[in-house]
Amino acid sequence: METMLPLSLLLHLLLLSGCPAGTSMLGEEADFYGDEATGYGPVFEEQPVDTIYPEESPEDKITMSCRARASPPAAYKWMLDGVEIDPTTVEHNHYALSEGNLIINEPVKYQHEGKYSCLASNNYGTVVSREAWVQFGYLDLFSPEERESVHVKEGQGAVLLCAPPPHHPADLSFRWILNEFPIFIPLDKRRFVSQITGNLYISKVEASDSGNYSCIASSASISKSVFSNYIPLVPHSERANKKYPADLRVKFPDTTTLVGHNVTLECFALGNPVPEIRWKKLDGDLPPNHEVRTAGAHLHLYNVQVEDGGPYQCEAVNSKGKDYHSALLSVEAFPEWVEHIRSMEKDLGSDYTMSCSATGKPKPHIRWIKNGEPLDRKEMRFSSLTFEDSGMYQCVAENHHGVIFANAELRVFDCVPTFEHNPVKHVLAPRNGRVVIECRPKAAPKPTVSWSKETELLRNSSRVFIWEDGSLEILNVTRADEGRYSCFAENDRGKANSTGSLLVTDSTKITLAPSNADVKVGENAWMQCAASHDALLDITFIWSLDGNVIDLDKDSQHYERPLNGSSNGELMIKNAQLKHAGIYTCTAQTSVDNITTSASLVVRGPPGAPAGLRVMDKSDRSVTLQWSRGADNHSPISKYTIQYRAALSQEVWRNASTSPSDVEGNAETATVMDLVPWTEYEFRVIATNTLGTGDPSSPSPKEKTLASIPVVAPSDVGGGGGTSRELTITWTPVQEQYYYGPDFGYIVAFKPRGGLEWTQVTVSDPEAKRYVHKDPSIPPWIEFDVKIKAFNVKGEGPYSLTAVVYSAQDAPSDAPASINGKVLSATEAIIWWFPILQSNIDGYQVKYWRKLEDGEGGGHRVVVSGRENQTRLDGMRPDSLYLVEVRGYNSAGYGPASDRLEMHTKRAPPSQAPTIIGKKFKGKSVNIVWEQVETLANESPVEGYKVLYRPQGHSTGTLYMTNRRHIELPLYEDETYVVEVRAYTEGGDGAVSQIFITGGSVMAARPLSTTGLLLTALFCLNP
């Protein structure tokens, strides 16, 4: 093995031959990486990243990337949990290096899981990459155990547990399917899937929710999904659909997230009616970067910032009650550099301190690494640098959220002064101005600098100064200062000098300064500016407003001036707006000097928006507001307009009635009148002056007026119907904005027509639309007087108009008589009966079922009106014995059934279509021939044939019936006709064959099934 020279000695030998091309004077930040560089330490271009390897992956290797730019090229080695990996040993035979990349062949969890880091080294030093985790991902199958059925009453809530299997990493997503894949459960206000637990929540179960449910758990990290066993959900119907208050079942926990990340908070409630989810931030407004998704169940915050942290609350509300939950969102931060180290060149023997600081939450810990080895130092402070201090340094900032690295190379050098790369320059200076001539040799240690003009040695005086960095400054420059200037640099390694020159020009002077201006919004204004300057130099005019340079190209809509090069720099402000007011500064600038002059522009316009709007006092119908005056924009405010918006309806802003009715410009308070009690409002104030109306203030915080007795009664009072011995009363509920207070409900009053005593019942549900009074003593079909009024916590409102409502009828007591019927085909029949003579019949229900094969409960039902006494039965099975019964019904229920009628349907029509075997043209007709249809034993015998002759594209045409097996049809030129042939029997029409006829040609078509025939020509086949 070759022996390597020590790094410090190698660097010293390189530097003794002269200053490297990349070095810099006096500790400047170094540029080691340009084309002229003699070499440099490693700089990472690619570092390893956290990797999750699926345990079931078909790929049998893991590749960890590492690549560094370096001259000479870097050598690499890798560490696992702080231990060096040597691919040449038997212990590490799964590893291989490819350039800087580490390849793990046939990875095994217990051997290869851990934290990996890469080291890149060359003659200038070593750097360590960030650490990267290799983890093994898996998602097991769900438990094979059968899931128990979930039984729940309709209207109640249900929770189906997902119980995801063991997995890593934790980032699963969840969906649910109903009955079969891929019928996914749609998420809405009623249904929600928690992405934390995977559970499915149904706030109010309906009959349509019945079915088998399966939870799908998916891992994006390993691209795998698994399905749970089905969970049957069995809703049970309830005659009275009970209401339940909102009950939060999904509650977001105290949550910690990082600055710049996205976070989702979950809330979902069970309840009937389906609750509405509302979100708020308890210590302020919701952040502007929020979005409410999944019908309110998710509060999503994008690009979270520190100020977004704090307590958040979700509120579930329905007409039966509210439920609340709050938890804390903590926002912490990944380490971020405030100041970090940079590559530097420093003189041998000089002092130097490496500075490194970072922010983060928790506050990051700082540690140092040199050439891949940790340093036990809190700060990197050097006094009297040596060559041994050269090397690759890394500052590491870390908290429990992560680690960041800052890498830099420090070179300690000495060399003879040289001006090869930075000679003294030829400079221009304005007469009576100031000039600095730089002297920047490359040298180490720091050289001693002296100056001469021509042959005269210069010393510090009242006009001439030699700075500490070697630069020469001359004040109050005159023509006599023109000439050649030489800088001399000397250190213990040698000396050097460089010569430049100074040329004195005429000073730039303002000849026409701008004047103060005063305009109204929309008018134009001019700012004059002219200057004299040296004829050898070009002049440029730069305008700024309140210190900010005006971009004439970007804002050409409002600014215009002559092209540069002219001695006139006049600026025109077009269509001036309030934002254009301020101090305008004109800068006349040449390559040598500049001079400025300023003037103010006043823009008068409509007032600015009032500020600090708040509610000072309130009653049930009024609110007193207070605000602070906005800017009058140089024209006194003459009046204020107050507007309001009801939060419930989110209606447009409306002008408010106020006291005083005219709010004068010197006022800062007013009372808004004629508001609705117990209603949430926002308010805003708008100022006006003689120049116009300004922008509105920001809306006030939402404020609810006090409660009051309701004044609106329910409308459309009516009712009737229902079950025997019931009085059903209905109404249109009062709209929410007229509740006028909490604990809103209804008082329903009723009495028999002509009676004296009213019965009163309280209904506490504000959304209720009906009340059913059950009383065994209520006679059927008698008149009741009914009236309804609203109430709340403050008292009772007025009654509605009195309505007349009938009590429920009794169910029919008689059964239909003389039921009879006739079978029409294999699938149809007609029945008739004598109507019931009672007056309370709304209609009839006909039920029919197969006597042997079907249960009575599975029969078909047909409903006809009370004016009918016959109906057609269809959908019957061929060659089957049916039982038929009829019963009357009304709103109180069904009456007794009639005697049962037995009917036997015909055998099925032929399933075989006629085979068309011949077509012969005779002048203007065509003869069609077909084979005899042979029926099966369970099919009706053929009675004849039907031929439908119709234009193509039409569903109707001419229908022929014949006992023969041929027919002659007229022929039509230039038009295509369809010929359809089928057998007919007592069981109905059989399958059909088709051919197409165009002029003198015939085209075959496939046979049609009986169903297809019924769809295309039903109306002409039933005589």
Side-chain angles (χ1 to χ4, degrees):
M1 180 181 291
E2 295 182 3
T3 303
M4 294 183 63
L5 290 172
L7 176 62
S8 59
L9 178 58
L10 176 62
L11 289 172
H12 195 187
L13 292 174
L14 287 170
L15 297 172
L16 282 177
S17 60
C19 289
T23 60
S24 57
M25 175 75 176
L26 303 177
E28 288 184 340
E29 183 177 341
D31 178 13
F32 302 148
Y33 314 117
D35 294 337
E36 300 177 0
T38 58
Y40 52 89
V43 178
F44 280 117
E45 293 185 326
E46 194 172 0
Q47 300 188 56
V49 296
D50 292 341
T51 300
I52 296 176
Y53 176 77
E55 292 185 353
E56 302 172 12
S57 173
E59 183 77 21
D60 59 353
K61 67 178 181 180
I62 301 172
T63 300
M64 304 291 285
S65 299
C66 184
R67 180 165 54 87
R69 177 163 49 96
S71 179
Y76 300 90
K77 66 178 180 180
W78 283 80
M79 312 287 285
L80 170 57
D81 295 331
V83 178
E84 183 178 349
I85 296 171
D86 183 358
T88 62
T89 65
V90 174
E91 181 185 359
H92 295 152
N93 62 355
H94 285 256
Y95 296 102
L97 282 176
S98 174
E99 296 179 339
N101 299 335
L102 178 69
I103 299 172
I104 310 172
N105 293 303
E106 299 177 358
V108 180
K109 179 176 181 178
Y110 72 90
Q111 283 184 302
H112 302 126
E113 191 168 64
K115 288 191 291 187
Y116 287 77
S117 57
C118 168
L119 285 76
S121 307
N122 71 0
N123 296 338
Y124 290 91
T126 300
V127 288
V128 182
S129 74
R130 61 171 172 252
E131 292 181 327
W133 274 98
V134 169
Q135 297 176 300
F136 286 70
Y138 62 91
L139 175 58
D140 290 349
L141 298 176
F142 276 92
S143 168
E145 294 182 4
E146 289 296 321
R147 299 289 190 104
E148 292 185 0
S149 299
V150 176
H151 293 263
V152 63
K153 294 179 180 178
E154 291 179 15
Q156 291 185 340
V159 181
L160 304 187
L161 303 181
C162 179
H167 58 276
H168 182 81
D171 58 343
L172 292 185
S173 62
F174 301 94
R175 289 186 294 177
W176 284 74
I177 59 173
L178 175 59
N179 294 328
E180 60 180 335
F181 184 85
I183 301 176
F184 294 105
I185 301 296
L187 303 184
D188 49 31
K189 289 181 68 174
R190 199 171 63 83
R191 290 168 290 201
F192 174 72
V193 175
S194 169
Q195 294 305 309
I196 297 174
T197 63
N199 296 341
L200 170 64
Y201 296 82
I202 304 175
S203 63
K204 184 187 77 168
V205 171
E206 298 176 353
S208 59
D209 294 321
S210 176
N212 296 311
Y213 290 76
S214 174
C215 177
I216 305 177
S218 302
S219 172
S221 302
I222 62 173
S223 302
K224 181 180 178 181
S225 298
V226 292
F227 296 68
S228 74
N229 280 339
Y230 280 109
I231 304 172
L233 176 62
V234 184
H236 296 281
S237 62
E238 283 247 304
R239 181 175 178 184
N241 196 346
K242 293 183 180 179
K243 304 294 180 68
Y244 302 93
D247 178 17
L248 280 169
R249 291 299 186 92
V250 179
K251 303 177 182 179
F252 66 99
D254 287 343
T255 303
T256 299
T257 189
L258 293 179
V259 169
H261 285 206
N262 302 334
V263 67
T264 300
L265 308 181
E266 292 187 344
C267 261
F268 191 74
L270 309 184
N272 182 14
V274 175
E276 178 183 350
I277 306 294
R278 301 170 183 169
W279 292 88
K280 65 172 68 174
K281 192 169 187 282
L282 294 180
D283 59 355
D285 295 333
L286 285 172
N289 53 326
H290 84 277
E291 181 185 0
V292 177
R293 302 192 307 202
T294 323
H298 279 152
L299 176 65
H300 191 74
L301 303 180
Y302 296 92
N303 188 24
V304 173
Q305 301 302 308
V306 173
E307 57 269 22
D308 298 335
Y312 285 78
Q313 182 186 80
C314 65
E315 176 188 47
V317 184
N318 69 7
S319 60
K320 299 298 291 181
K322 300 180 180 180
D323 196 6
Y324 303 86
H325 170 71
S326 60
L328 187 66
L329 175 65
S330 301
V331 181
E332 299 190 346
F334 196 84
E336 185 176 352
W337 292 119
V338 175
E339 181 184 11
H340 62 80
I341 56 176
R342 302 180 186 278
S343 295
M344 298 290 288
E345 292 176 328
K346 301 298 293 183
D347 298 349
L348 182 68
S350 63
D351 297 339
Y352 177 52
T353 299
M354 288 187 177
S355 297
C356 199
S357 63
T359 61
K361 189 176 180 182
K363 183 176 175 60
H365 166 69
I366 302 290
R367 57 186 174 90
W368 294 88
I369 300 173
K370 179 186 178 185
N371 292 328
E373 297 295 332
L375 296 174
D376 187 18
R377 298 173 65 170
K378 291 187 177 179
E379 62 177 5
M380 297 303 298
R381 187 183 300 275
F382 301 92
S383 57
S384 187
L385 284 166
T386 67
F387 289 118
E388 284 74 16
D389 294 322
S390 296
M392 301 300 299
Y393 287 82
Q394 294 178 278
C395 176
V396 184
E398 59 185 328
N399 62 17
H400 62 252
H401 296 301
V403 183
I404 53 174
F405 287 73
N407 304 340
E409 182 177 347
L410 173 63
R411 290 190 187 177
V412 180
F413 72 99
D414 63 350
C415 71
V416 176
T418 176
F419 288 91
E420 179 181 358
H421 300 291
N422 200 9
V424 176
K425 295 178 173 56
H426 302 282
V427 296
L428 302 175
R431 187 164 57 185
N432 300 321
R434 165 185 175 273
V435 68
V436 175
I437 308 173
E438 291 186 342
C439 178
R440 311 279 289 175
K442 307 266 187 199
K446 179 181 178 181
T448 301
V449 174
S450 59
W451 282 87
S452 70
K453 179 192 175 193
E454 307 295 351
T455 59
E456 176 189 358
L457 185 65
L458 298 177
R459 302 182 185 281
N460 286 343
S461 67
S462 60
R463 280 198 324 116
V464 178
F465 302 93
I466 300 175
W467 291 0
E468 185 178 350
D469 69 355
S471 300
L472 176 66
E473 179 183 27
I474 305 173
L475 303 177
N476 299 322
V477 174
T478 66
R479 293 286 184 185
D481 292 321
E482 291 186 332
R484 293 166 56 82
Y485 288 80
S486 298
C487 175
F488 299 88
E490 181 177 359
N491 65 11
D492 59 5
R493 301 293 178 176
K495 61 178 68 175
N497 64 79
S498 178
T499 300
S501 64
L502 172 63
L503 177 64
V504 179
T505 63
D506 290 334
S507 299
T508 304
K509 297 179 180 178
I510 296 292
T511 58
L512 182 62
S515 302
N516 294 338
D518 188 324
V519 297
K520 296 178 182 177
V521 167
E523 295 180 343
N524 297 338
W526 287 264
M527 289 286 175
Q528 296 177 321
C529 188
S532 62
H533 60 96
D534 192 289
L536 297 176
L537 304 175
D538 292 329
I539 190 169
T540 300
F541 290 90
I542 300 172
W543 283 90
S544 60
L545 171 58
D546 294 333
N548 299 310
V549 174
I550 298 171
D551 188 326
L552 298 174
D553 291 328
K554 279 188 177 179
D555 205 359
S556 60
Q557 180 182 357
H558 290 288
Y559 292 109
E560 184 179 310
R561 61 165 302 271
L563 295 174
N564 282 324
S566 165
S567 294
N568 178 16
E570 182 182 45
L571 176 69
M572 181 171 72
I573 301 103
K574 302 180 293 183
N575 186 23
Q577 301 299 308
L578 294 173
K579 66 181 180 180
H580 298 131
I583 303 299
Y584 282 81
T585 300
C586 171
T587 301
Q589 178 175 296
T590 68
S591 58
V592 175
D593 65 344
N594 65 72
I595 189 167
T596 63
T597 182
S598 300
S600 66
L601 174 65
V602 173
V603 180
R604 301 180 187 274
L613 178 62
R614 59 193 181 278
V615 174
M616 301 300 294
D617 193 16
K618 63 182 179 180
S619 69
D620 58 343
R621 295 181 182 273
S622 66
V623 164
T624 300
L625 301 175
Q626 187 178 68
W627 62 89
S628 300
R629 293 167 57 88
D632 64 9
N633 292 324
H634 310 289
S635 179
I637 297 172
S638 57
K639 69 171 185 176
Y640 287 100
T641 302
I642 299 177
Q643 296 183 327
Y644 70 91
R645 178 171 67 184
L648 182 67
S649 59
Q650 286 297 307
E651 60 187 21
V652 297
W653 290 96
R654 301 179 184 276
N655 289 347
S657 300
T658 60
S659 176
S661 56
D662 296 322
V663 183
E664 297 182 354
N666 59 356
E668 292 188 354
T669 183
T671 299
V672 179
M673 310 297 290
D674 302 332
L675 299 176
V676 177
W678 196 245
T679 300
E680 196 170 57
Y681 287 98
E682 293 176 286
F683 302 92
R684 67 182 187 183
V685 181
I686 305 171
T688 301
N689 62 17
T690 57
L691 298 178
T693 298
D695 293 331
S697 68
S698 297
S700 68
K702 292 178 180 178
E703 194 76 36
K704 184 176 283 189
T705 50
L706 300 182
S708 177
I709 295 173
V711 298
V712 176
S715 59
D716 301 324
V717 177
T723 305
S724 179
R725 304 298 184 262
E726 289 182 351
L727 174 63
T728 300
I729 301 169
T730 62
W731 64 90
T732 298
V734 174
Q735 296 181 14
E736 187 175 351
Q737 62 262 39
Y738 300 118
Y739 287 180
Y740 284 14
D743 300 335
F744 184 86
Y746 304 100
I747 295 175
V748 180
F750 54 92
K751 68 181 179 65
R753 193 76 186 272
L756 299 177
E757 185 176 348
W758 291 86
T759 300
Q760 289 189 341
V761 177
T762 299
V763 178
S764 59
D765 182 0
E767 296 182 3
K769 299 178 181 179
R770 67 198 302 263
Y771 168 72
V772 178
H773 184 69
K774 300 177 184 293
D775 187 344
S777 65
I778 295 179
W781 201 244
I782 69 163
E783 293 180 333
F784 278 82
D785 290 332
V786 177
K787 59 184 179 180
I788 306 173
K789 63 181 175 181
F791 72 89
N792 63 19
V793 70
K794 287 291 186 178
E796 299 174 3
Y799 272 113
S800 67
L801 296 175
T802 300
V804 176
V805 177
Y806 283 85
S807 62
Q809 307 174 79
D810 281 338
S813 58
D814 296 336
S818 301
I819 181 171
N820 212 331
K822 176 183 179 182
V823 173
L824 300 178
S825 68
T827 60
E828 292 180 314
I830 186 170
I831 68 161
W832 56 89
W833 59 91
F834 284 159
I836 300 174
L837 299 178
Q838 290 176 276
S839 62
N840 62 342
I841 301 299
D842 291 342
Y844 298 93
Q845 182 200 70
V846 180
K847 183 168 69 171
Y848 56 102
W849 66 97
R850 288 185 295 176
K851 182 176 181 179
L852 302 178
E853 293 87 347
D854 299 332
E856 182 178 347
H860 296 272
R861 289 171 173 81
V862 178
V863 175
V864 298
S865 76
R867 296 187 300 272
E868 304 288 338
N869 69 330
Q870 66 173 6
T871 188
R872 195 182 190 98
L873 310 181
D874 54 20
M876 304 174 86
R877 297 290 185 88
D879 198 13
S880 299
L881 179 61
Y882 274 83
L883 296 178
V884 183
E885 68 178 23
V886 185
R887 65 179 72 204
Y889 73 88
N890 59 21
S891 59
Y894 291 96
S898 67
D899 294 334
R900 291 175 178 176
L901 172 68
E902 288 191 354
M903 305 182 78
H904 199 291
T905 55
K906 309 290 187 182
R907 283 182 289 172
S911 57
Q912 176 192 347
T915 302
I916 298 174
I917 57 175
K919 308 75 116 175
K920 185 175 181 181
F921 293 94
K922 296 180 181 179
K924 292 187 178 182
S925 64
V926 60
N927 190 269
I928 310 297
V929 182
W930 58 89
E931 288 183 343
Q932 173 71 31
V933 171
E934 300 296 335
T935 59
L936 302 177
N938 62 345
E939 294 177 343
S940 296
V942 174
E943 296 179 357
Y945 296 92
K946 292 181 179 180
V947 180
L948 178 64
Y949 191 43
R950 60 180 175 84
Q952 186 179 10
H954 292 250
S955 60
T956 61
T958 304
L959 180 66
Y960 301 91
M961 299 179 68
T962 179
N963 293 324
R964 301 172 181 172
R965 287 184 289 108
H966 61 86
I967 193 168
E968 188 171 300
L969 300 171
L971 193 60
Y972 301 98
E973 294 184 3
D974 302 324
E975 189 170 2
T976 300
Y977 268 70
V978 182
V979 179
E980 296 178 352
V981 183
R982 82 281 291 157
Y984 67 85
T985 69
E986 67 171 3
D989 295 332
V992 65
S993 289
Q994 272 187 352
I995 59 170
F996 295 88
I997 299 176
T998 304
S1001 63
V1002 177
M1003 253 186 337
R1006 62 182 176 82
L1008 295 178
S1009 66
T1010 305
T1011 302
L1013 171 64
L1014 292 173
L1015 289 174
T1016 58
L1018 183 61
F1019 110 36
C1020 59
L1021 295 182
N1022 291 305

